[in-house]
Amino acid sequence: MSLFSEVPQAPPVAVFKLSADFREDSHPQKVNLGVGAYRTDECLPWVLPVVKKVEKLILEDSSLNHEYLPILGLPEFRSASSKVALGDDCAAIKDNRVVGVQALGGTGALRIGAEFLRRWYNGVNNTATPVYVSAPTWENHNSVFADAGFKDIRPYHYWDAANRGLDLAGLLDDLEKAPEHSIFVLHACAHNPTGTDPTQEEWKKIAEIMKRRNLFVFFDSAYQGFASGSLDKDAWAIRYFVSEGFELFVAQSFSKNFGLYNERVGNLTIVAQDGENLTRILSQMEKIVRTTWSNPPSQGARIVSKTLNCPELFAEWKGNVKTMADRVLLMRDQLKGKLQALNTPGTWEHITQQIGMFSFTGLNPKQVEFMIKERHVYLMASGRINMCGLTSSNIDYVAQSIHDAVTKVQ
Amino acid sequence: MKKMNRPDSKLNETEVKQNGDAGGQLSVFTNVHTAAGSPEKRLLSAFKKDTNPGKAYLAGREYYSEDGKTFELRLVRRIKQQLSADPTTRPEYPSPLGLTEFTRRATEVALGKSSRAIVEERVLGVQTPGFTAAVRLGAELLRNWYDHCAAWCGPVYLSSPCDDSLAGIFQAAGIQDIREYYYWDDQQRGVCLDKLLEDLLKAPERSVVVLSASAHYPTGADLSHNQWTVITELIMRRRLFPFLLLPPQALCYGNVEREAWPVQYCASQGMELLCAQSFSHCFGLYGEAVGHLLCVLKQNSLLLSVQSQAATIVKSLWAQPSAGGANIVATVLSNPAHVVEWKEEVKHIVERCMLIRELLRERLRLLGAPGCWDRLTQQSGLYCNTGLNEDQVEFLSQRRHVYLLPSGCLNVSAINGRNLDYIAESIHRALTTSL
């Protein structure tokens, strides 16, 4: 008898299933709006020109050693990554109370951050500390914190479906009512899946309550630069919180803004109250990493590090990022324009008000099913679309399909 | 995990007055204690601080070439260039289970192409970011799904001695009950099978036993085929579960199949097993974190379920593994001409390690160093156990600036033409100086 005979089949991951169904579909006009990666106007993945250039430089560099990276990662990568999030003139960095830990993508950064907090935050091994994630949020947030040992994971109000915007009142209310020391997972920009971010004034309100109520800030930053085209603008919320004196974590991912999806490049930035705290925290982090992947992969970290640490390459990278962001903004603009031209019922302002890769269209599950089955346009059941899946060749078809879904299906 | 509750009193007195002061409150991390660094880390730190020009670090994990550096296999360098010029490479998320071509080849390299288990489709292969990650994934799978009806939480048996990070990995996966089985015998200068069997006989049913398939770390002492037959018979009889470790495959004897023999033997006996593999050593891809977890099941009806659960676990650990290194390994292993070339380069590494062992043995013999040094050449691979005790090891680092692992084990590849004499002399002194 096998020791695994009782193992049940785990439910499939929705977004992978969607991609699989899309691949099986033979319809000539099929469109995949469920993919989580950038696509060019020819609907192809894009290797950033600066990445191609840097890869070559690395290949030709005979001075590179081929040893295991240190457990905490490539030092130049870690410092450059934290700097790109917090800004060149960040006082906390100058005060030596900021450190980065290289991780396996944004997921890895979230996981080691969560593991640390479960062991050392709000007591020792306090699995009861509530962890709040936005409603809705990237579905992996729940798994990461649950598997790190947290028993109490709760939603906080975020998306207002009726008004297709941020439910600020609900959010602020949840902050007021959350038990002290609760952990809140905030999306630094380009909220996944709604694309709806708080304004600067709204962030200030959020920060005020969080400081007053001793709530812990854990930023998820997967789209810096990708959302607005500006690294500084997309990091505004993080920098504001740091300037307000918060101790916080930032899980950074370079998958999207460097197109390094397959190299798993992430960084956990830790802002502590002082350097002494930081040393102790780092020693525990090392212990956690040592039992997870021990030594992180070097290729992606070298690419990012070389780019961020060289002014010309950095400038070139910013240009590449802006190219991606601009294409997304263009598609948003055009989609809204076409829906308005078709007189599709409802308001479509949210398409251009939202930011980043994703947009919550507002389509209900029946309408989504229509889109998939009748029009072969694939999107998530939540109505989320990836703007990168839109191109100049398919945007008319998609706009028409949305129009049909809204008018034919209630 | 030890509970450490003493707050750091020094911190309570610290006043934080700087830009961004959060109202003069205590840090939210006051409870955090400094973790004791790993022994390896402390050793490396001491070595780095050592200013003696003749210092030698013999406790590293990588293979060092004659010039004292880790290096890239020529073949690997060529493949990297090829892959970088390949216009069809797509920057997208790989599957959580990794590159199919890689897992296929990694599985074959462990089980052999014609393995019945592969033919019967009851083998799961998962690419992981390195060896530690493979062990972690295996540990998580066991804790979550081993005998689902009853809550299983150990025990896990590790060899004495073993890689000191292993216990931590199982604990991080939620298994606290970690025990040891007798392995290395100082007197015999090798594995003591009788005591090993004694310990495993006492193990409760459903215990997991972690065994090194080859190149045991840190002793370099491996089990013979006969010993494997006896041990696996006991494992099957007592319903224990084998978790095999295959980190530096091909670096022991230069023979991929020979080193995977224990894995193939267990599979041929119809056993279920887990096997953690690493391709860092044998491809010189240390920085690239190329690992693999092999899972051999008894029935192919279970494959999809176990696969889906593995993917679920991976999703919240690292989501997907990194592609670069796995691509290189897959490219080499799926091309017969590349394989021949790869084996040649690896053979060179193995031969050099063997040569160093011989030279060291000779030097020690000529110096009249007490003890029998034949075991140096009887074992093979990167590591060997010198038999030095803790005091002697400390003497070596403090007085001679030669750093060995506390267990007396050393990495032979770090010895080269420039330091061989000094190291042999140092070992001789450690053994003959009264301490």
Coordinates of all heavy atoms in Angstrom, one line a residue, chain B residues 301-363:
Chain B
S301 N -1.6 5.5 -10.1 CA -2.9 6.3 -9.9 C -2.7 7.4 -9.0 O -3.5 8.3 -8.9 CB -3.9 5.3 -9.4 OG -3.4 4.7 -8.2
L302 N -1.6 7.4 -8.2 CA -1.4 8.5 -7.2 C -0.6 9.7 -7.8 O -0.6 10.7 -7.2 CB -0.6 8.0 -6.1 CG -1.2 6.8 -5.3 CD1 -0.2 6.2 -4.3 CD2 -2.4 7.3 -4.6
L303 N -0.1 9.5 -9.0 CA 0.9 10.5 -9.5 C 0.3 11.9 -9.6 O 0.8 12.8 -9.1 CB 1.4 10.0 -10.9 CG 2.5 10.9 -11.5 CD1 3.7 10.9 -10.5 CD2 3.0 10.4 -12.8
L304 N -0.9 12.0 -10.2 CA -1.5 13.3 -10.4 C -1.8 14.0 -9.1 O -1.6 15.2 -9.0 CB -2.8 13.2 -11.3 CG -2.5 12.9 -12.8 CD1 -3.9 12.8 -13.5 CD2 -1.7 14.1 -13.4
S305 N -2.3 13.2 -8.2 CA -2.6 13.9 -6.9 C -1.4 14.4 -6.2 O -1.3 15.5 -5.7 CB -3.3 12.9 -5.9 OG -4.3 12.2 -6.6
V306 N -0.4 13.5 -6.1 CA 0.9 14.0 -5.4 C 1.5 15.1 -6.2 O 1.9 16.1 -5.6 CB 1.9 12.8 -5.3 CG1 3.1 13.3 -4.6 CG2 1.2 11.7 -4.5
Q307 N 1.4 15.1 -7.5 CA 1.9 16.2 -8.3 C 1.2 17.5 -8.0 O 1.8 18.5 -7.8 CB 1.8 15.8 -9.8 CG 2.4 16.8 -10.7 CD 2.2 16.3 -12.2 OE1 1.2 16.5 -12.7 NE2 3.3 15.8 -12.7
S308 N -0.1 17.4 -7.9 CA -0.9 18.6 -7.7 C -0.6 19.2 -6.3 O -0.5 20.4 -6.1 CB -2.4 18.4 -7.8 OG -2.9 17.5 -6.8
Q309 N -0.4 18.3 -5.3 CA -0.1 18.8 -4.0 C 1.3 19.4 -3.9 O 1.5 20.4 -3.2 CB -0.2 17.6 -2.9 CG -1.6 17.0 -2.8 CD -2.6 18.1 -2.3 OE1 -2.2 19.1 -1.8 NE2 -3.9 17.8 -2.5
A310 N 2.2 18.8 -4.7 CA 3.6 19.4 -4.7 C 3.5 20.8 -5.3 O 4.2 21.7 -4.8 CB 4.5 18.5 -5.5
A311 N 2.7 20.9 -6.3 CA 2.6 22.3 -7.0 C 2.0 23.3 -6.0 O 2.4 24.4 -5.9 CB 1.7 22.2 -8.2
T312 N 1.0 22.8 -5.2 CA 0.4 23.7 -4.2 C 1.4 24.2 -3.2 O 1.5 25.3 -2.8 CB -0.8 23.0 -3.5 OG1 -1.7 22.5 -4.5 CG2 -1.5 23.9 -2.5
I313 N 2.3 23.2 -2.7 CA 3.3 23.6 -1.7 C 4.3 24.6 -2.3 O 4.6 25.6 -1.7 CB 4.0 22.3 -1.2 CG1 3.1 21.4 -0.5 CG2 5.2 22.7 -0.4 CD1 3.6 20.0 -0.2
V314 N 4.7 24.3 -3.5 CA 5.7 25.1 -4.2 C 5.1 26.6 -4.4 O 5.9 27.5 -4.2 CB 6.0 24.6 -5.6 CG1 6.7 25.6 -6.5 CG2 6.9 23.3 -5.5
K315 N 3.9 26.6 -4.7 CA 3.2 27.9 -5.0 C 3.4 28.9 -3.8 O 3.6 30.1 -4.1 CB 1.7 27.7 -5.2 CG 1.1 28.6 -6.2 CD -0.3 28.2 -6.6 CE -1.2 28.0 -5.5 NZ -2.2 29.1 -5.4
S316 N 3.4 28.5 -2.6 CA 3.5 29.4 -1.5 C 4.9 29.5 -0.9 O 5.2 30.2 0.0 CB 2.5 29.1 -0.4 OG 2.9 27.9 0.3
L317 N 5.9 28.7 -1.6 CA 7.3 28.8 -1.1 C 8.1 29.7 -2.0 O 8.7 30.6 -1.6 CB 7.9 27.4 -1.1 CG 7.7 26.6 0.2 CD1 8.2 25.1 0.0 CD2 8.4 27.2 1.4
W318 N 8.1 29.3 -3.3 CA 8.9 30.1 -4.3 C 8.1 30.3 -5.6 O 8.6 30.8 -6.5 CB 10.3 29.5 -4.5 CG 10.3 28.1 -4.9 CD1 9.9 27.5 -6.1 CD2 10.6 27.0 -4.1 NE1 10.1 26.2 -6.1 CE2 10.5 25.8 -4.8 CE3 11.1 26.8 -2.8 CZ2 10.7 24.5 -4.3 CZ3 11.3 25.6 -2.3 CH2 11.2 24.4 -3.0
A319 N 6.9 29.8 -5.7 CA 6.0 29.9 -6.8 C 6.5 29.1 -8.0 O 5.9 28.2 -8.5 CB 5.8 31.3 -7.2
Q320 N 7.7 29.5 -8.6 CA 8.3 28.7 -9.7 C 9.8 28.7 -9.5 O 10.4 29.6 -8.9 CB 8.0 29.4 -11.0 CG 6.6 29.6 -11.4 CD 6.1 30.9 -11.0 OE1 6.8 31.8 -10.6 NE2 4.8 31.1 -11.1
P321 N 10.5 27.6 -10.0 CA 12.0 27.6 -9.8 C 12.6 28.5 -10.9 O 11.9 28.9 -11.8 CB 12.3 26.2 -10.0 CG 11.3 25.7 -11.0 CD 10.0 26.5 -10.7
S322 N 13.9 28.8 -10.7 CA 14.5 29.7 -11.7 C 15.0 28.8 -12.9 O 15.5 27.7 -12.7 CB 15.7 30.4 -11.1 OG 16.5 29.5 -10.4
A323 N 14.8 29.4 -14.1 CA 15.0 28.6 -15.3 C 16.5 28.4 -15.8 O 16.8 27.3 -16.3 CB 14.2 29.2 -16.4
G324 N 17.3 29.4 -15.6 CA 18.6 29.4 -16.2 C 19.4 28.1 -16.1 O 19.7 27.5 -17.1
G325 N 19.7 27.8 -14.9 CA 20.6 26.6 -14.7 C 20.0 25.3 -15.2 O 20.6 24.5 -15.8
A326 N 18.7 25.2 -15.0 CA 18.0 23.9 -15.4 C 18.0 23.8 -16.9 O 18.2 22.7 -17.4 CB 16.5 23.9 -14.9
N327 N 17.9 24.9 -17.6 CA 18.0 24.9 -19.0 C 19.4 24.3 -19.5 O 19.4 23.6 -20.5 CB 17.9 26.4 -19.5 CG 16.8 26.5 -20.5 OD1 16.5 25.6 -21.2 ND2 16.2 27.7 -20.5
I328 N 20.4 24.8 -18.8 CA 21.7 24.3 -19.2 C 21.9 22.8 -19.0 O 22.3 22.1 -19.9 CB 22.8 25.0 -18.4 CG1 22.8 26.5 -18.7 CG2 24.2 24.5 -18.6 CD1 23.6 27.4 -17.8
V329 N 21.4 22.4 -17.8 CA 21.5 20.9 -17.5 C 20.7 20.1 -18.5 O 21.2 19.1 -19.1 CB 21.0 20.6 -16.1 CG1 21.0 19.1 -15.8 CG2 22.0 21.3 -15.1
A330 N 19.5 20.6 -18.8 CA 18.6 19.9 -19.8 C 19.3 19.8 -21.1 O 19.3 18.8 -21.8 CB 17.3 20.5 -19.8
T331 N 19.9 20.9 -21.6 CA 20.5 21.0 -22.9 C 21.6 19.9 -23.0 O 21.8 19.3 -24.0 CB 21.1 22.4 -23.2 OG1 20.0 23.3 -23.0 CG2 21.6 22.5 -24.6
V332 N 22.4 19.9 -21.9 CA 23.5 18.9 -21.9 C 23.0 17.5 -21.9 O 23.4 16.6 -22.8 CB 24.5 19.1 -20.7 CG1 25.5 18.0 -20.6 CG2 25.2 20.5 -20.8
L333 N 22.1 17.2 -21.0 CA 21.7 15.8 -20.8 C 20.9 15.2 -21.9 O 20.7 14.0 -22.1 CB 21.0 15.6 -19.4 CG 21.8 15.8 -18.2 CD1 21.0 15.7 -16.9 CD2 23.0 14.9 -18.2
S334 N 20.3 16.1 -22.7 CA 19.4 15.6 -23.8 C 20.2 15.4 -25.1 O 19.6 15.1 -26.1 CB 18.2 16.4 -24.0 OG 18.6 17.8 -24.1
N335 N 21.5 15.7 -25.1 CA 22.3 15.6 -26.3 C 23.5 14.6 -26.0 O 24.4 14.9 -25.2 CB 22.8 17.0 -26.6 CG 23.7 17.0 -27.9 OD1 24.5 16.1 -28.1 ND2 23.5 18.0 -28.7
P336 N 23.5 13.4 -26.7 CA 24.5 12.4 -26.4 C 25.9 12.9 -26.5 O 26.8 12.6 -25.7 CB 24.2 11.3 -27.4 CG 22.7 11.5 -27.7 CD 22.5 13.0 -27.6
A337 N 26.2 13.8 -27.5 CA 27.5 14.3 -27.7 C 27.9 15.2 -26.5 O 29.0 15.1 -26.0 CB 27.6 15.1 -29.0
H338 N 27.0 16.0 -26.1 CA 27.2 16.8 -24.9 C 27.5 16.0 -23.7 O 28.4 16.3 -22.9 CB 26.0 17.7 -24.6 CG 25.9 18.9 -25.5 ND1 26.9 19.5 -26.2 CD2 24.7 19.5 -25.9 CE1 26.4 20.4 -27.0 NE2 25.1 20.5 -26.8
V339 N 26.7 14.9 -23.5 CA 26.9 14.1 -22.4 C 28.3 13.5 -22.3 O 28.9 13.4 -21.2 CB 25.8 12.9 -22.4 CG1 26.2 11.9 -21.3 CG2 24.5 13.5 -22.1
V340 N 28.8 13.0 -23.5 CA 30.2 12.5 -23.5 C 31.2 13.5 -23.0 O 32.0 13.3 -22.2 CB 30.5 12.0 -24.9 CG1 32.0 11.7 -25.1 CG2 29.7 10.8 -25.3
E341 N 31.0 14.7 -23.6 CA 31.9 15.8 -23.2 C 31.8 16.2 -21.8 O 32.8 16.4 -21.1 CB 31.6 17.1 -24.1 CG 32.7 18.1 -24.1 CD 32.4 19.3 -24.9 OE1 31.5 19.2 -25.9 OE2 32.9 20.3 -24.7
W342 N 30.6 16.2 -21.3 CA 30.4 16.5 -19.8 C 31.1 15.5 -19.0 O 31.8 15.8 -18.0 CB 28.9 16.6 -19.5 CG 28.6 16.6 -18.1 CD1 28.9 17.6 -17.2 CD2 27.8 15.7 -17.4 NE1 28.4 17.3 -16.0 CE2 27.7 16.2 -16.1 CE3 27.1 14.5 -17.7 CZ2 27.0 15.5 -15.1 CZ3 26.4 13.8 -16.7 CH2 26.4 14.3 -15.4
K343 N 30.9 14.2 -19.3 CA 31.5 13.2 -18.5 C 33.0 13.3 -18.5 O 33.6 13.0 -17.4 CB 31.0 11.8 -19.0 CG 29.6 11.5 -18.6 CD 29.2 10.0 -19.0 CE 27.8 9.7 -18.5 NZ 27.4 8.4 -18.9
E344 N 33.6 13.7 -19.6 CA 35.0 13.8 -19.7 C 35.5 14.9 -18.7 O 36.5 14.7 -18.0 CB 35.4 14.3 -21.1 CG 35.8 13.2 -22.0 CD 36.9 12.3 -21.4 OE1 38.0 12.8 -21.1 OE2 36.7 11.1 -21.3
E345 N 34.8 16.0 -18.7 CA 35.2 17.1 -17.8 C 35.0 16.7 -16.4 O 35.9 17.0 -15.5 CB 34.4 18.4 -18.1 CG 34.8 19.1 -19.4 CD 34.4 20.5 -19.5 OE1 35.1 21.4 -18.8 OE2 33.5 20.9 -20.2
V346 N 34.0 16.0 -16.0 CA 33.7 15.6 -14.7 C 34.8 14.6 -14.3 O 35.3 14.6 -13.1 CB 32.3 15.0 -14.5 CG1 32.2 14.3 -13.2 CG2 31.3 16.1 -14.7
K347 N 35.2 13.7 -15.2 CA 36.2 12.7 -14.9 C 37.5 13.4 -14.5 O 38.1 12.9 -13.6 CB 36.4 11.9 -16.2 CG 37.2 10.6 -16.0 CD 36.8 9.6 -17.1 CE 38.0 8.6 -17.2 NZ 38.9 8.9 -18.3
H348 N 37.8 14.5 -15.1 CA 39.0 15.2 -14.8 C 38.9 15.7 -13.4 O 39.9 15.6 -12.6 CB 39.1 16.4 -15.8 CG 40.2 17.3 -15.5 ND1 41.6 17.0 -15.8 CD2 40.3 18.5 -14.8 CE1 42.3 18.0 -15.4 NE2 41.6 18.9 -14.8
I349 N 37.8 16.2 -13.0 CA 37.6 16.7 -11.6 C 37.8 15.5 -10.6 O 38.5 15.7 -9.6 CB 36.2 17.3 -11.4 CG1 36.0 18.6 -12.2 CG2 35.9 17.5 -9.9 CD1 34.6 19.1 -12.2
V350 N 37.2 14.4 -10.9 CA 37.3 13.3 -10.0 C 38.7 12.8 -9.9 O 39.2 12.5 -8.8 CB 36.3 12.2 -10.5 CG1 36.6 10.9 -9.8 CG2 34.9 12.6 -10.4
E351 N 39.4 12.7 -11.0 CA 40.8 12.2 -11.0 C 41.7 13.2 -10.2 O 42.6 12.7 -9.5 CB 41.3 12.1 -12.5 CG 40.7 10.8 -13.1 CD 41.0 10.7 -14.6 OE1 41.6 11.7 -15.2 OE2 40.6 9.7 -15.2
R352 N 41.4 14.4 -10.3 CA 42.2 15.4 -9.6 C 42.0 15.2 -8.1 O 43.0 15.2 -7.3 CB 41.9 16.8 -10.0 CG 42.7 17.8 -9.2 CD 42.7 19.2 -9.7 NE 43.3 20.1 -8.6 CZ 42.6 20.6 -7.7 NH1 41.3 20.5 -7.7 NH2 43.1 21.4 -6.7
C353 N 40.8 15.0 -7.7 CA 40.5 14.8 -6.3 C 41.2 13.5 -5.8 O 41.8 13.5 -4.7 CB 39.0 14.6 -6.0 SG 38.1 16.1 -6.1
M354 N 41.2 12.5 -6.6 CA 41.8 11.2 -6.3 C 43.3 11.4 -6.1 O 43.9 10.9 -5.2 CB 41.5 10.2 -7.4 CG 41.3 8.8 -6.9 SD 41.1 8.6 -5.2 CE 40.4 7.1 -5.0
L355 N 43.9 12.2 -7.1 CA 45.3 12.4 -7.1 C 45.7 13.2 -5.8 O 46.7 12.8 -5.1 CB 45.7 13.3 -8.3 CG 47.2 13.7 -8.4 CD1 48.0 12.4 -8.6 CD2 47.4 14.6 -9.6
I356 N 44.9 14.2 -5.4 CA 45.2 14.9 -4.2 C 45.2 14.0 -3.0 O 46.1 14.1 -2.1 CB 44.2 16.1 -4.0 CG1 44.4 17.1 -5.1 CG2 44.4 16.7 -2.6 CD1 43.2 18.1 -5.1
R357 N 44.2 13.1 -2.9 CA 44.1 12.1 -1.8 C 45.4 11.3 -1.8 O 45.9 11.1 -0.7 CB 42.9 11.2 -2.0 CG 41.6 11.9 -1.7 CD 40.4 10.9 -2.1 NE 39.2 11.5 -1.9 CZ 38.5 11.4 -0.8 NH1 39.0 10.8 0.3 NH2 37.3 12.0 -0.6
E358 N 45.8 10.9 -2.9 CA 47.1 10.0 -3.0 C 48.3 10.8 -2.5 O 49.1 10.3 -1.7 CB 47.3 9.5 -4.4 CG 46.4 8.3 -4.7 CD 46.4 8.0 -6.2 OE1 47.3 8.5 -6.9 OE2 45.6 7.2 -6.6
L359 N 48.4 12.0 -3.0 CA 49.5 12.9 -2.7 C 49.5 13.2 -1.2 O 50.6 13.1 -0.5 CB 49.5 14.2 -3.5 CG 49.8 14.0 -5.0 CD1 49.6 15.3 -5.7 CD2 51.2 13.5 -5.2
L360 N 48.4 13.4 -0.6 CA 48.3 13.8 0.8 C 48.6 12.5 1.6 O 49.4 12.6 2.6 CB 46.8 14.2 1.1 CG 46.6 14.7 2.6 CD1 47.5 15.9 2.9 CD2 45.1 15.0 2.8
R361 N 48.1 11.4 1.2 CA 48.5 10.2 1.9 C 50.0 9.9 1.9 O 50.6 9.6 3.0 CB 47.7 9.0 1.3 CG 47.9 7.7 2.0 CD 47.4 6.5 1.2 NE 48.3 6.3 0.1 CZ 48.1 5.3 -0.8 NH1 47.0 4.6 -0.8 NH2 48.9 5.2 -1.9
E362 N 50.6 10.1 0.8 CA 52.0 9.9 0.7 C 52.8 10.9 1.6 O 53.7 10.4 2.3 CB 52.5 10.2 -0.8 CG 52.6 8.9 -1.6 CD 53.4 7.8 -0.8 OE1 54.6 7.9 -0.6 OE2 52.7 6.8 -0.3
R363 N 52.4 12.1 1.5 CA 53.1 13.1 2.4 C 53.0 12.8 3.8 O 54.0 12.8 4.6 CB 52.5 14.5 2.2 CG 52.8 15.2 0.9 CD 54.2 15.7 0.8 NE 54.4 16.6 -0.3 CZ 54.4 16.2 -1.6 NH1 54.3 14.9 -1.9 NH2 54.6 17.0 -2.6

